[in-house]
Amino acid sequence: MKAVAVTSFKAIPQLMDLPEPQVKEGQILIRLAAAGLNPFDWKMVDGILKDHMPHVFPLIMGVDGAGVVEATGAGVTRFKKGNRVYGQMLHAPVGEGSYAEFVVVPEKAAIAAAPETLSLTDAAAAPTAGMTALQLLDKLGLSAGQTLLLIGATGGVGSFVIQLAKARGLRVVASVSSAADAERMKALGAESTVNYKENEAYPGNVDALVDLVDQAADFAEKTALVKPGGAVLTTQFVADKAALQARQLRGGNFETKGTPASLDALRQAIDKGEIKIPVDRRVSLAQAPAAIAESREMKSKGKTIIVINDQL
């Protein structure tokens, strides 16, 4: 099969011909329609999980994907051949990922029935970004009418947060870097935008802050914009818990937990029309190495989808 993989940590991804994986007990074999590109994918190549999970090489990249169940191993009860599925393909050992024509994953992995209103190609972009957005909003616990300041709004996760927040009746102020970004964020449901490149003033006294990009100093500065009793979350793991408590702020560092239940909730939101997948571009497996290099430059304006088999 064709797959995008690396031969060692920090190697340059390449399109390779590799053996098709064989399904074992408790696993499902998925013929992939597409994979979603996330920054975490190249962070794994850099070794972010090196000391936490076993790895195999060549390491096939990719976490998010969608496709059709091709076969099931002994003991599998959740899925059967022909099911349309989407989710996170990450499992031990790291290196059996979704940038491939086929992937084998444990039945207990974060895999669920795919949204009915989306093509499998577009569904591949949803799992990590969509679950992250859902869980961020659940963690904030805001009520309709309250205001959320969203830093790093223009990427995949931010685009999901805006749409889901609007569906919950929240007012979103989104940080942007251009007039075009501002227009796009408002089209997704942001009430207003702040252009940080033009030094526009951020609103104060907001009910919550979600920061998807800032490092410690900038994050700490922005927490001052949140009213006492408000909530702040960062996906960059730069929160100072003691400092937040001193300012009567709840929250802190945030990590997504991929689960079938969360994927089911995401599917329901998509099928209800609360989310449109913010696709920036579609590339082939052969074009994926170049797209990965560009992702490292953090210039995404939405999700990149790696199209593997658009006939599914």
Side-chain angles (χ1 to χ4, degrees):
M1 68 175 183
K2 298 290 186 184
V4 174
V6 294
T7 54
S8 64
F9 288 118
K10 299 187 178 180
I12 297 173
Q14 301 176 47
L15 182 64
M16 302 181 186
D17 286 303
L18 295 174
E20 183 181 319
Q22 301 300 305
V23 69
K24 299 176 183 177
E25 182 178 357
Q27 297 179 331
I28 60 174
L29 173 67
I30 301 170
R31 182 187 293 269
L32 287 157
L37 193 158
N38 295 299
F40 190 75
D41 300 345
W42 49 260
K43 290 178 182 179
M44 285 194 294
V45 170
D46 290 349
I48 194 171
L49 297 177
K50 188 176 182 179
D51 298 325
H52 304 283
M53 295 175 70
H55 290 60
V56 292
F57 293 91
L59 183 152
I60 299 172
M61 297 179 64
V63 173
D64 285 359
V68 175
V69 176
E70 187 81 1
T72 60
V76 170
T77 58
R78 287 185 60 217
F79 302 101
K80 61 182 180 180
K81 183 176 180 179
N83 285 163
R84 298 170 76 254
V85 296
Y86 81 138
Q88 294 179 320
M89 312 298 168
L90 179 62
H91 61 279
V94 176
E96 299 176 347
S98 60
Y99 293 10
E101 292 179 308
F102 294 92
V103 66
V104 164
V105 296
E107 178 189 29
K108 295 179 181 179
I111 307 294
E116 296 178 1
T117 57
L118 282 185
S119 68
L120 285 172
T121 301
D122 283 1
T128 295
M131 284 193 290
T132 300
L134 272 175
Q135 293 173 20
L136 280 165
L137 291 169
D138 288 345
K139 187 80 172 177
L140 291 176
L142 299 178
S143 302
Q146 290 189 294
T147 301
L148 167 64
L149 174 60
L150 178 61
I151 309 299
T154 57
V157 173
S159 299
F160 279 99
V161 169
I162 290 172
Q163 295 179 80
L164 288 166
K166 182 182 180 183
R168 298 183 183 201
L170 304 180
R171 302 165 60 196
V172 178
V173 180
S175 70
V176 300
S177 60
S178 68
D181 281 344
E183 190 172 322
R184 190 165 59 87
M185 295 301 98
K186 288 179 179 177
L188 288 175
E191 183 171 283
S192 60
T193 61
V194 177
N195 191 319
Y196 70 90
K197 284 195 172 180
E198 295 181 2
N199 294 318
E200 292 182 1
Y202 286 96
N205 212 35
V206 296
D207 298 293
L209 165 71
V210 167
D211 195 326
L212 304 172
V213 294
D214 280 330
Q215 294 307 302
D218 288 335
F219 172 72
E221 183 179 326
K222 290 186 177 70
T223 62
L225 302 169
V226 184
K227 65 179 64 173
V232 298
L233 292 172
T234 168
T235 57
Q236 297 300 308
F237 278 76
V238 294
D240 181 334
K241 195 75 172 179
L244 295 181
Q245 290 174 344
R247 295 200 55 251
Q248 301 176 48
L249 298 174
R250 54 191 172 82
N253 297 317
F254 174 87
E255 183 177 11
T256 309
K257 305 292 185 185
T259 66
S262 194
L263 285 166
D264 287 341
L266 179 61
R267 179 185 70 245
Q268 291 165 14
I270 292 170
D271 285 343
K272 285 193 293 185
E274 294 177 357
I275 303 172
K276 290 184 173 62
I277 305 300
V279 178
D280 180 27
R281 60 180 174 165
R282 294 172 171 83
V283 301
S284 66
L285 272 176
Q287 295 167 324
I292 294 162
E294 290 169 17
S295 174
R296 285 181 175 273
E297 298 177 7
M298 305 297 282
K299 294 181 178 178
S300 172
K301 301 299 182 184
K303 294 296 298 183
T304 294
I305 296 174
I306 300 169
V307 180
I308 300 167
N309 186 342
D310 58 7
Q311 301 303 307
L312 294 177

PDB file of all heavy atoms in Angstrom, residues 272-308:
ATOM      1  N   LYS A 272     -26.565  17.910  12.913  1.00  0.00           N
ATOM      2  CA  LYS A 272     -27.577  18.935  13.194  1.00  0.00           C
ATOM      3  C   LYS A 272     -27.287  20.246  12.474  1.00  0.00           C
ATOM      4  O   LYS A 272     -28.078  21.185  12.555  1.00  0.00           O
ATOM      5  CB  LYS A 272     -27.670  19.201  14.701  1.00  0.00           C
ATOM      6  CG  LYS A 272     -28.386  18.106  15.473  1.00  0.00           C
ATOM      7  CD  LYS A 272     -28.738  18.552  16.886  1.00  0.00           C
ATOM      8  CE  LYS A 272     -27.515  18.771  17.740  1.00  0.00           C
ATOM      9  NZ  LYS A 272     -27.857  19.097  19.158  1.00  0.00           N
ATOM     10  N   GLY A 273     -26.163  20.300  11.786  1.00  0.00           N
ATOM     11  CA  GLY A 273     -25.818  21.505  11.040  1.00  0.00           C
ATOM     12  C   GLY A 273     -25.129  22.577  11.863  1.00  0.00           C
ATOM     13  O   GLY A 273     -25.003  23.722  11.414  1.00  0.00           O
ATOM     14  N   GLU A 274     -24.666  22.230  13.066  1.00  0.00           N
ATOM     15  CA  GLU A 274     -24.005  23.216  13.922  1.00  0.00           C
ATOM     16  C   GLU A 274     -22.569  23.489  13.487  1.00  0.00           C
ATOM     17  O   GLU A 274     -21.972  24.493  13.880  1.00  0.00           O
ATOM     18  CB  GLU A 274     -24.017  22.745  15.374  1.00  0.00           C
ATOM     19  CG  GLU A 274     -25.411  22.671  15.983  1.00  0.00           C
ATOM     20  CD  GLU A 274     -25.419  22.141  17.404  1.00  0.00           C
ATOM     21  OE1 GLU A 274     -24.336  21.774  17.912  1.00  0.00           O
ATOM     22  OE2 GLU A 274     -26.508  22.090  18.005  1.00  0.00           O
ATOM     23  N   ILE A 275     -22.011  22.597  12.680  1.00  0.00           N
ATOM     24  CA  ILE A 275     -20.620  22.733  12.253  1.00  0.00           C
ATOM     25  C   ILE A 275     -20.505  22.499  10.746  1.00  0.00           C
ATOM     26  O   ILE A 275     -21.030  21.521  10.219  1.00  0.00           O
ATOM     27  CB  ILE A 275     -19.712  21.697  12.945  1.00  0.00           C
ATOM     28  CG1 ILE A 275     -19.804  21.802  14.464  1.00  0.00           C
ATOM     29  CG2 ILE A 275     -18.256  21.875  12.494  1.00  0.00           C
ATOM     30  CD1 ILE A 275     -19.073  20.683  15.174  1.00  0.00           C
ATOM     31  N   LYS A 276     -19.795  23.410  10.092  1.00  0.00           N
ATOM     32  CA  LYS A 276     -19.334  23.184   8.731  1.00  0.00           C
ATOM     33  C   LYS A 276     -17.829  22.967   8.822  1.00  0.00           C
ATOM     34  O   LYS A 276     -17.126  23.707   9.509  1.00  0.00           O
ATOM     35  CB  LYS A 276     -19.662  24.372   7.833  1.00  0.00           C
ATOM     36  CG  LYS A 276     -21.150  24.528   7.535  1.00  0.00           C
ATOM     37  CD  LYS A 276     -21.381  25.679   6.567  1.00  0.00           C
ATOM     38  CE  LYS A 276     -22.851  25.723   6.125  1.00  0.00           C
ATOM     39  NZ  LYS A 276     -23.757  25.956   7.254  1.00  0.00           N
ATOM     40  N   ILE A 277     -17.330  21.936   8.156  1.00  0.00           N
ATOM     41  CA  ILE A 277     -15.913  21.613   8.256  1.00  0.00           C
ATOM     42  C   ILE A 277     -15.090  22.699   7.563  1.00  0.00           C
ATOM     43  O   ILE A 277     -15.268  22.955   6.369  1.00  0.00           O
ATOM     44  CB  ILE A 277     -15.606  20.240   7.623  1.00  0.00           C
ATOM     45  CG1 ILE A 277     -16.493  19.160   8.250  1.00  0.00           C
ATOM     46  CG2 ILE A 277     -14.134  19.896   7.790  1.00  0.00           C
ATOM     47  CD1 ILE A 277     -16.328  18.993   9.734  1.00  0.00           C
ATOM     48  N   PRO A 278     -14.191  23.367   8.300  1.00  0.00           N
ATOM     49  CA  PRO A 278     -13.413  24.480   7.734  1.00  0.00           C
ATOM     50  C   PRO A 278     -12.212  23.977   6.944  1.00  0.00           C
ATOM     51  O   PRO A 278     -11.065  24.056   7.380  1.00  0.00           O
ATOM     52  CB  PRO A 278     -12.974  25.248   8.984  1.00  0.00           C
ATOM     53  CG  PRO A 278     -12.852  24.192  10.038  1.00  0.00           C
ATOM     54  CD  PRO A 278     -13.909  23.159   9.735  1.00  0.00           C
ATOM     55  N   VAL A 279     -12.468  23.450   5.746  1.00  0.00           N
ATOM     56  CA  VAL A 279     -11.400  22.877   4.934  1.00  0.00           C
ATOM     57  C   VAL A 279     -10.626  23.991   4.227  1.00  0.00           C
ATOM     58  O   VAL A 279     -11.202  24.807   3.515  1.00  0.00           O
ATOM     59  CB  VAL A 279     -11.970  21.891   3.895  1.00  0.00           C
ATOM     60  CG1 VAL A 279     -10.846  21.330   3.026  1.00  0.00           C
ATOM     61  CG2 VAL A 279     -12.711  20.755   4.595  1.00  0.00           C
ATOM     62  N   ASP A 280      -9.314  24.016   4.453  1.00  0.00           N
ATOM     63  CA  ASP A 280      -8.454  24.974   3.771  1.00  0.00           C
ATOM     64  C   ASP A 280      -8.063  24.440   2.398  1.00  0.00           C
ATOM     65  O   ASP A 280      -8.129  25.148   1.398  1.00  0.00           O
ATOM     66  CB  ASP A 280      -7.219  25.245   4.632  1.00  0.00           C
ATOM     67  CG  ASP A 280      -6.264  26.239   3.996  1.00  0.00           C
ATOM     68  OD1 ASP A 280      -6.740  27.080   3.214  1.00  0.00           O
ATOM     69  OD2 ASP A 280      -5.054  26.181   4.274  1.00  0.00           O
ATOM     70  N   ARG A 281      -7.673  23.166   2.364  1.00  0.00           N
ATOM     71  CA  ARG A 281      -7.258  22.577   1.084  1.00  0.00           C
ATOM     72  C   ARG A 281      -7.262  21.065   1.177  1.00  0.00           C
ATOM     73  O   ARG A 281      -7.255  20.488   2.267  1.00  0.00           O
ATOM     74  CB  ARG A 281      -5.866  23.067   0.700  1.00  0.00           C
ATOM     75  CG  ARG A 281      -4.805  22.706   1.734  1.00  0.00           C
ATOM     76  CD  ARG A 281      -3.445  23.192   1.322  1.00  0.00           C
ATOM     77  NE  ARG A 281      -2.491  22.946   2.389  1.00  0.00           N
ATOM     78  CZ  ARG A 281      -1.183  22.988   2.231  1.00  0.00           C
ATOM     79  NH1 ARG A 281      -0.675  23.267   1.042  1.00  0.00           N
ATOM     80  NH2 ARG A 281      -0.375  22.752   3.248  1.00  0.00           N
ATOM     81  N   ARG A 282      -7.260  20.452   0.002  1.00  0.00           N
ATOM     82  CA  ARG A 282      -7.179  19.002  -0.122  1.00  0.00           C
ATOM     83  C   ARG A 282      -5.929  18.655  -0.917  1.00  0.00           C
ATOM     84  O   ARG A 282      -5.696  19.241  -1.970  1.00  0.00           O
ATOM     85  CB  ARG A 282      -8.427  18.446  -0.810  1.00  0.00           C
ATOM     86  CG  ARG A 282      -9.707  18.618   0.001  1.00  0.00           C
ATOM     87  CD  ARG A 282     -10.946  18.224  -0.798  1.00  0.00           C
ATOM     88  NE  ARG A 282     -12.137  18.197   0.037  1.00  0.00           N
ATOM     89  CZ  ARG A 282     -12.857  19.263   0.351  1.00  0.00           C
ATOM     90  NH1 ARG A 282     -12.505  20.455  -0.116  1.00  0.00           N
ATOM     91  NH2 ARG A 282     -13.924  19.158   1.123  1.00  0.00           N
ATOM     92  N   VAL A 283      -5.155  17.715  -0.402  1.00  0.00           N
ATOM     93  CA  VAL A 283      -3.931  17.295  -1.082  1.00  0.00           C
ATOM     94  C   VAL A 283      -3.929  15.777  -1.214  1.00  0.00           C
ATOM     95  O   VAL A 283      -4.661  15.077  -0.511  1.00  0.00           O
ATOM     96  CB  VAL A 283      -2.671  17.757  -0.313  1.00  0.00           C
ATOM     97  CG1 VAL A 283      -2.646  19.276  -0.163  1.00  0.00           C
ATOM     98  CG2 VAL A 283      -2.572  17.089   1.066  1.00  0.00           C
ATOM     99  N   SER A 284      -3.096  15.272  -2.111  1.00  0.00           N
ATOM    100  CA  SER A 284      -2.958  13.827  -2.283  1.00  0.00           C
ATOM    101  C   SER A 284      -1.900  13.290  -1.330  1.00  0.00           C
ATOM    102  O   SER A 284      -1.155  14.050  -0.698  1.00  0.00           O
ATOM    103  CB  SER A 284      -2.551  13.520  -3.731  1.00  0.00           C
ATOM    104  OG  SER A 284      -1.242  14.031  -3.976  1.00  0.00           O
ATOM    105  N   LEU A 285      -1.796  11.967  -1.224  1.00  0.00           N
ATOM    106  CA  LEU A 285      -0.730  11.369  -0.423  1.00  0.00           C
ATOM    107  C   LEU A 285       0.643  11.823  -0.917  1.00  0.00           C
ATOM    108  O   LEU A 285       1.542  12.102  -0.114  1.00  0.00           O
ATOM    109  CB  LEU A 285      -0.808   9.842  -0.470  1.00  0.00           C
ATOM    110  CG  LEU A 285      -1.696   9.132   0.558  1.00  0.00           C
ATOM    111  CD1 LEU A 285      -1.719   7.634   0.269  1.00  0.00           C
ATOM    112  CD2 LEU A 285      -1.238   9.389   1.981  1.00  0.00           C
ATOM    113  N   ALA A 286       0.793  11.929  -2.232  1.00  0.00           N
ATOM    114  CA  ALA A 286       2.079  12.354  -2.791  1.00  0.00           C
ATOM    115  C   ALA A 286       2.407  13.792  -2.408  1.00  0.00           C
ATOM    116  O   ALA A 286       3.584  14.154  -2.281  1.00  0.00           O
ATOM    117  CB  ALA A 286       2.061  12.204  -4.308  1.00  0.00           C
ATOM    118  N   GLN A 287       1.380  14.616  -2.220  1.00  0.00           N
ATOM    119  CA  GLN A 287       1.597  16.017  -1.849  1.00  0.00           C
ATOM    120  C   GLN A 287       1.692  16.221  -0.341  1.00  0.00           C
ATOM    121  O   GLN A 287       2.016  17.316   0.121  1.00  0.00           O
ATOM    122  CB  GLN A 287       0.440  16.863  -2.396  1.00  0.00           C
ATOM    123  CG  GLN A 287       0.370  16.908  -3.917  1.00  0.00           C
ATOM    124  CD  GLN A 287      -0.949  17.490  -4.407  1.00  0.00           C
ATOM    125  OE1 GLN A 287      -2.002  17.261  -3.803  1.00  0.00           O
ATOM    126  NE2 GLN A 287      -0.896  18.230  -5.503  1.00  0.00           N
ATOM    127  N   ALA A 288       1.425  15.171   0.441  1.00  0.00           N
ATOM    128  CA  ALA A 288       1.387  15.303   1.897  1.00  0.00           C
ATOM    129  C   ALA A 288       2.716  15.745   2.502  1.00  0.00           C
ATOM    130  O   ALA A 288       2.730  16.586   3.411  1.00  0.00           O
ATOM    131  CB  ALA A 288       0.918  14.000   2.532  1.00  0.00           C
ATOM    132  N   PRO A 289       3.873  15.216   2.059  1.00  0.00           N
ATOM    133  CA  PRO A 289       5.129  15.690   2.663  1.00  0.00           C
ATOM    134  C   PRO A 289       5.313  17.200   2.580  1.00  0.00           C
ATOM    135  O   PRO A 289       5.760  17.830   3.546  1.00  0.00           O
ATOM    136  CB  PRO A 289       6.197  14.934   1.859  1.00  0.00           C
ATOM    137  CG  PRO A 289       5.525  13.651   1.471  1.00  0.00           C
ATOM    138  CD  PRO A 289       4.114  14.072   1.139  1.00  0.00           C
ATOM    139  N   ALA A 290       4.951  17.796   1.449  1.00  0.00           N
ATOM    140  CA  ALA A 290       5.062  19.253   1.309  1.00  0.00           C
ATOM    141  C   ALA A 290       4.077  19.956   2.229  1.00  0.00           C
ATOM    142  O   ALA A 290       4.402  20.995   2.838  1.00  0.00           O
ATOM    143  CB  ALA A 290       4.824  19.659  -0.143  1.00  0.00           C
ATOM    144  N   ALA A 291       2.873  19.396   2.368  1.00  0.00           N
ATOM    145  CA  ALA A 291       1.866  20.004   3.249  1.00  0.00           C
ATOM    146  C   ALA A 291       2.301  19.929   4.705  1.00  0.00           C
ATOM    147  O   ALA A 291       2.046  20.852   5.491  1.00  0.00           O
ATOM    148  CB  ALA A 291       0.520  19.295   3.061  1.00  0.00           C
ATOM    149  N   ILE A 292       2.985  18.847   5.080  1.00  0.00           N
ATOM    150  CA  ILE A 292       3.495  18.707   6.447  1.00  0.00           C
ATOM    151  C   ILE A 292       4.539  19.789   6.713  1.00  0.00           C
ATOM    152  O   ILE A 292       4.540  20.424   7.779  1.00  0.00           O
ATOM    153  CB  ILE A 292       4.098  17.302   6.662  1.00  0.00           C
ATOM    154  CG1 ILE A 292       2.993  16.236   6.566  1.00  0.00           C
ATOM    155  CG2 ILE A 292       4.817  17.215   8.004  1.00  0.00           C
ATOM    156  CD1 ILE A 292       3.532  14.830   6.322  1.00  0.00           C
ATOM    157  N   ALA A 293       5.421  20.012   5.762  1.00  0.00           N
ATOM    158  CA  ALA A 293       6.450  21.047   5.915  1.00  0.00           C
ATOM    159  C   ALA A 293       5.816  22.421   6.097  1.00  0.00           C
ATOM    160  O   ALA A 293       6.269  23.228   6.918  1.00  0.00           O
ATOM    161  CB  ALA A 293       7.374  21.034   4.700  1.00  0.00           C
ATOM    162  N   GLU A 294       4.741  22.675   5.358  1.00  0.00           N
ATOM    163  CA  GLU A 294       4.057  23.963   5.483  1.00  0.00           C
ATOM    164  C   GLU A 294       3.320  24.063   6.816  1.00  0.00           C
ATOM    165  O   GLU A 294       3.232  25.142   7.406  1.00  0.00           O
ATOM    166  CB  GLU A 294       3.092  24.149   4.312  1.00  0.00           C
ATOM    167  CG  GLU A 294       3.816  24.359   2.989  1.00  0.00           C
ATOM    168  CD  GLU A 294       2.888  24.289   1.797  1.00  0.00           C
ATOM    169  OE1 GLU A 294       1.660  24.394   2.001  1.00  0.00           O
ATOM    170  OE2 GLU A 294       3.382  24.123   0.662  1.00  0.00           O
ATOM    171  N   SER A 295       2.797  22.950   7.313  1.00  0.00           N
ATOM    172  CA  SER A 295       2.125  22.957   8.611  1.00  0.00           C
ATOM    173  C   SER A 295       3.096  23.363   9.721  1.00  0.00           C
ATOM    174  O   SER A 295       2.705  24.028  10.688  1.00  0.00           O
ATOM    175  CB  SER A 295       1.536  21.581   8.912  1.00  0.00           C
ATOM    176  OG  SER A 295       1.001  21.516  10.216  1.00  0.00           O
ATOM    177  N   ARG A 296       4.340  22.982   9.577  1.00  0.00           N
ATOM    178  CA  ARG A 296       5.350  23.351  10.569  1.00  0.00           C
ATOM    179  C   ARG A 296       5.499  24.873  10.674  1.00  0.00           C
ATOM    180  O   ARG A 296       5.930  25.385  11.707  1.00  0.00           O
ATOM    181  CB  ARG A 296       6.696  22.728  10.225  1.00  0.00           C
ATOM    182  CG  ARG A 296       6.793  21.234  10.518  1.00  0.00           C
ATOM    183  CD  ARG A 296       8.175  20.717  10.172  1.00  0.00           C
ATOM    184  NE  ARG A 296       8.357  19.314  10.539  1.00  0.00           N
ATOM    185  CZ  ARG A 296       8.754  18.877  11.723  1.00  0.00           C
ATOM    186  NH1 ARG A 296       8.994  19.757  12.690  1.00  0.00           N
ATOM    187  NH2 ARG A 296       8.915  17.589  11.967  1.00  0.00           N
ATOM    188  N   GLU A 297       5.153  25.573   9.610  1.00  0.00           N
ATOM    189  CA  GLU A 297       5.253  27.037   9.615  1.00  0.00           C
ATOM    190  C   GLU A 297       4.012  27.691  10.212  1.00  0.00           C
ATOM    191  O   GLU A 297       3.929  28.915  10.302  1.00  0.00           O
ATOM    192  CB  GLU A 297       5.475  27.543   8.189  1.00  0.00           C
ATOM    193  CG  GLU A 297       6.782  27.034   7.578  1.00  0.00           C
ATOM    194  CD  GLU A 297       6.955  27.474   6.136  1.00  0.00           C
ATOM    195  OE1 GLU A 297       6.138  28.284   5.660  1.00  0.00           O
ATOM    196  OE2 GLU A 297       7.912  27.012   5.489  1.00  0.00           O
ATOM    197  N   MET A 298       3.028  26.854  10.620  1.00  0.00           N
ATOM    198  CA  MET A 298       1.822  27.323  11.322  1.00  0.00           C
ATOM    199  C   MET A 298       1.064  28.396  10.528  1.00  0.00           C
ATOM    200  O   MET A 298       0.656  29.414  11.066  1.00  0.00           O
ATOM    201  CB  MET A 298       2.183  27.852  12.711  1.00  0.00           C
ATOM    202  CG  MET A 298       2.947  26.867  13.573  1.00  0.00           C
ATOM    203  SD  MET A 298       2.014  25.364  13.954  1.00  0.00           S
ATOM    204  CE  MET A 298       0.953  25.978  15.246  1.00  0.00           C
ATOM    205  N   LYS A 299       0.867  28.126   9.238  1.00  0.00           N
ATOM    206  CA  LYS A 299       0.172  29.099   8.389  1.00  0.00           C
ATOM    207  C   LYS A 299      -1.211  28.614   7.958  1.00  0.00           C
ATOM    208  O   LYS A 299      -1.795  29.133   7.019  1.00  0.00           O
ATOM    209  CB  LYS A 299       1.019  29.404   7.150  1.00  0.00           C
ATOM    210  CG  LYS A 299       2.330  30.122   7.476  1.00  0.00           C
ATOM    211  CD  LYS A 299       3.116  30.418   6.218  1.00  0.00           C
ATOM    212  CE  LYS A 299       4.400  31.166   6.542  1.00  0.00           C
ATOM    213  NZ  LYS A 299       5.216  31.432   5.336  1.00  0.00           N
ATOM    214  N   SER A 300      -1.736  27.645   8.668  1.00  0.00           N
ATOM    215  CA  SER A 300      -3.022  27.068   8.285  1.00  0.00           C
ATOM    216  C   SER A 300      -4.168  28.055   8.424  1.00  0.00           C
ATOM    217  O   SER A 300      -4.216  28.861   9.348  1.00  0.00           O
ATOM    218  CB  SER A 300      -3.318  25.838   9.155  1.00  0.00           C
ATOM    219  OG  SER A 300      -4.620  25.376   8.931  1.00  0.00           O
ATOM    220  N   LYS A 301      -5.095  27.994   7.482  1.00  0.00           N
ATOM    221  CA  LYS A 301      -6.326  28.789   7.529  1.00  0.00           C
ATOM    222  C   LYS A 301      -7.538  27.862   7.621  1.00  0.00           C
ATOM    223  O   LYS A 301      -8.595  28.145   7.087  1.00  0.00           O
ATOM    224  CB  LYS A 301      -6.438  29.666   6.275  1.00  0.00           C
ATOM    225  CG  LYS A 301      -5.282  30.638   6.093  1.00  0.00           C
ATOM    226  CD  LYS A 301      -5.187  31.618   7.238  1.00  0.00           C
ATOM    227  CE  LYS A 301      -4.053  32.610   7.025  1.00  0.00           C
ATOM    228  NZ  LYS A 301      -3.887  33.515   8.178  1.00  0.00           N
ATOM    229  N   GLY A 302      -7.383  26.777   8.328  1.00  0.00           N
ATOM    230  CA  GLY A 302      -8.419  25.757   8.403  1.00  0.00           C
ATOM    231  C   GLY A 302      -7.754  24.397   8.299  1.00  0.00           C
ATOM    232  O   GLY A 302      -6.553  24.265   8.514  1.00  0.00           O
ATOM    233  N   LYS A 303      -8.513  23.393   7.941  1.00  0.00           N
ATOM    234  CA  LYS A 303      -8.002  22.032   7.928  1.00  0.00           C
ATOM    235  C   LYS A 303      -7.438  21.636   6.568  1.00  0.00           C
ATOM    236  O   LYS A 303      -8.003  21.967   5.526  1.00  0.00           O
ATOM    237  CB  LYS A 303      -9.114  21.059   8.301  1.00  0.00           C
ATOM    238  CG  LYS A 303      -9.607  21.185   9.724  1.00  0.00           C
ATOM    239  CD  LYS A 303      -8.546  20.857  10.745  1.00  0.00           C
ATOM    240  CE  LYS A 303      -8.079  19.413  10.619  1.00  0.00           C
ATOM    241  NZ  LYS A 303      -7.076  19.071  11.664  1.00  0.00           N
ATOM    242  N   THR A 304      -6.331  20.910   6.601  1.00  0.00           N
ATOM    243  CA  THR A 304      -5.791  20.268   5.405  1.00  0.00           C
ATOM    244  C   THR A 304      -6.219  18.801   5.427  1.00  0.00           C
ATOM    245  O   THR A 304      -5.990  18.100   6.408  1.00  0.00           O
ATOM    246  CB  THR A 304      -4.255  20.362   5.363  1.00  0.00           C
ATOM    247  OG1 THR A 304      -3.877  21.730   5.215  1.00  0.00           O
ATOM    248  CG2 THR A 304      -3.693  19.558   4.190  1.00  0.00           C
ATOM    249  N   ILE A 305      -6.819  18.364   4.334  1.00  0.00           N
ATOM    250  CA  ILE A 305      -7.253  16.981   4.193  1.00  0.00           C
ATOM    251  C   ILE A 305      -6.360  16.266   3.190  1.00  0.00           C
ATOM    252  O   ILE A 305      -6.129  16.774   2.081  1.00  0.00           O
ATOM    253  CB  ILE A 305      -8.720  16.910   3.729  1.00  0.00           C
ATOM    254  CG1 ILE A 305      -9.657  17.494   4.783  1.00  0.00           C
ATOM    255  CG2 ILE A 305      -9.128  15.469   3.421  1.00  0.00           C
ATOM    256  CD1 ILE A 305     -11.095  17.576   4.334  1.00  0.00           C
ATOM    257  N   ILE A 306      -5.863  15.111   3.590  1.00  0.00           N
ATOM    258  CA  ILE A 306      -5.073  14.274   2.679  1.00  0.00           C
ATOM    259  C   ILE A 306      -6.027  13.253   2.065  1.00  0.00           C
ATOM    260  O   ILE A 306      -6.512  12.338   2.753  1.00  0.00           O
ATOM    261  CB  ILE A 306      -3.941  13.568   3.430  1.00  0.00           C
ATOM    262  CG1 ILE A 306      -3.006  14.606   4.080  1.00  0.00           C
ATOM    263  CG2 ILE A 306      -3.145  12.672   2.489  1.00  0.00           C
ATOM    264  CD1 ILE A 306      -2.022  14.013   5.060  1.00  0.00           C
ATOM    265  N   VAL A 307      -6.353  13.438   0.802  1.00  0.00           N
ATOM    266  CA  VAL A 307      -7.310  12.571   0.111  1.00  0.00           C
ATOM    267  C   VAL A 307      -6.615  11.295  -0.337  1.00  0.00           C
ATOM    268  O   VAL A 307      -5.606  11.342  -1.040  1.00  0.00           O
ATOM    269  CB  VAL A 307      -7.937  13.286  -1.088  1.00  0.00           C
ATOM    270  CG1 VAL A 307      -8.939  12.371  -1.792  1.00  0.00           C
ATOM    271  CG2 VAL A 307      -8.617  14.588  -0.650  1.00  0.00           C
ATOM    272  N   ILE A 308      -7.146  10.162   0.106  1.00  0.00           N
ATOM    273  CA  ILE A 308      -6.521   8.866  -0.194  1.00  0.00           C
ATOM    274  C   ILE A 308      -7.372   8.060  -1.170  1.00  0.00           C
ATOM    275  O   ILE A 308      -6.869   7.490  -2.131  1.00  0.00           O
ATOM    276  CB  ILE A 308      -6.311   8.079   1.123  1.00  0.00           C
ATOM    277  CG1 ILE A 308      -5.398   8.883   2.064  1.00  0.00           C
ATOM    278  CG2 ILE A 308      -5.720   6.693   0.832  1.00  0.00           C
ATOM    279  CD1 ILE A 308      -5.353   8.377   3.483  1.00  0.00           C
TER     280      ILE A 308
END
